[in-house]
Amino acid sequence: MNNDITFPIPDKELCERYEKLFSGAVNDVLREYGYLDNTLPHEILPLREKMKVCGIAFTIKGAKNLTLEGEMERRAEMLEAIHPDSVVVWDTSGDDKSAQWGEIMTLAAKTRGCRGAVIDGGIRDTDRILGLDFPIFHRYRTSNGMLGRFRMIDYQIPVKIGDVTIHPGDIIFGDIDGVLVVPRGLAYEVLLKAERILTNEVEIKRQVVSGTKPSEVVRNGGYF
């Protein structure tokens, strides 16, 4: 499993350093490694523009289902399995009717040390969630709860959202421009390279603001 791969720094430090970056820089580094399709569908956006999150993927798979038996017990089991510095990632099999996340799940996940949630579906209790300082990325809002409409199938298994396969333990990074999945085995190298981009851009911006011609900026090693 991906979680068997350890980093030379604690998970918490890795996540906090990613959160100082921006998705464009991380995306550009992934491209260097040949990962051109590690961005989740552009419809999945932060609940509020300033929300940014990085964490270890805790994956959940579900689908439309009318059955009720054992649903709450299974949900409770899942919530108790959430680990610190995680980001919950819901693969909803394309559901467009239900809210897979709400206030109570937010409270339960936050208590477990979860850093945020990425829902390829809906949320509800939006006004209450906004007061909990918990980054959430989602497709839509609805008052429809899952019970009797949608059912969790399993958790901590590989899932797929859009064209991206997400394994438990991968790194999830989201900001105003959407959500990226960084393969766990590359996450530390990608972090270091993206941090260098952030440093380099300080000089590039200085040249541009000072009136240096774009062609000269490029000759100086800059880019646009």
Side-chain angles (χ1 to χ4, degrees), residues 87-108:
V87 168
V88 168
V89 181
W90 265 99
D91 170 1
T92 70
S93 306
D95 183 45
D96 58 358
K97 299 294 183 185
S98 305
Q100 287 78 29
W101 199 262
E103 179 193 19
I104 304 302
M105 278 197 175
T106 299
L107 287 168

Side-chain angles (χ1 to χ4, degrees), residues 140-191:
Y140 58 86
R141 305 173 198 173
T142 177
S143 61
N144 286 338
M146 289 192 295
L147 194 62
R149 300 183 178 97
F150 183 95
R151 188 177 180 90
M152 185 181 72
I153 296 169
D154 206 352
Y155 59 90
Q156 287 297 70
I157 61 170
V159 299
K160 189 170 184 179
I161 298 177
D163 296 323
V164 188
T165 298
I166 306 156
H167 298 270
D170 283 342
I171 303 304
I172 305 298
F173 178 62
D175 65 10
I176 190 171
D177 288 327
V179 182
L180 283 165
V181 179
V182 183
R184 187 175 180 89
L186 289 175
Y188 185 64
E189 295 174 46
V190 170
L191 171 66

Side-chain angles (χ1 to χ4, degrees), residues 23-44:
S23 58
V26 177
N27 196 321
D28 287 352
V29 177
L30 285 171
R31 183 190 60 211
E32 290 180 22
Y33 284 98
Y35 289 89
L36 301 178
D37 298 303
N38 273 47
T39 306
L40 297 192
H42 59 81
E43 295 88 355
I44 301 175

Side-chain angles (χ1 to χ4, degrees), residues 208-220:
V208 173
V209 171
S210 69
T212 303
K213 293 180 179 179
S215 57
E216 291 180 20
V217 173
V218 172
R219 280 197 294 272
N220 292 336

Side-chain angles (χ1 to χ4, degrees), residues 1-9 11 56-57 83 156 167-171 183-187:
M1 179 180 285
N2 273 356
N3 282 325
D4 294 336
I5 299 171
T6 58
F7 304 122
I9 58 175
D11 288 357
I56 315 301
H83 54 82
Q156 287 297 70
H167 298 270
D170 283 342
I171 303 304
R184 187 175 180 89
L186 289 175

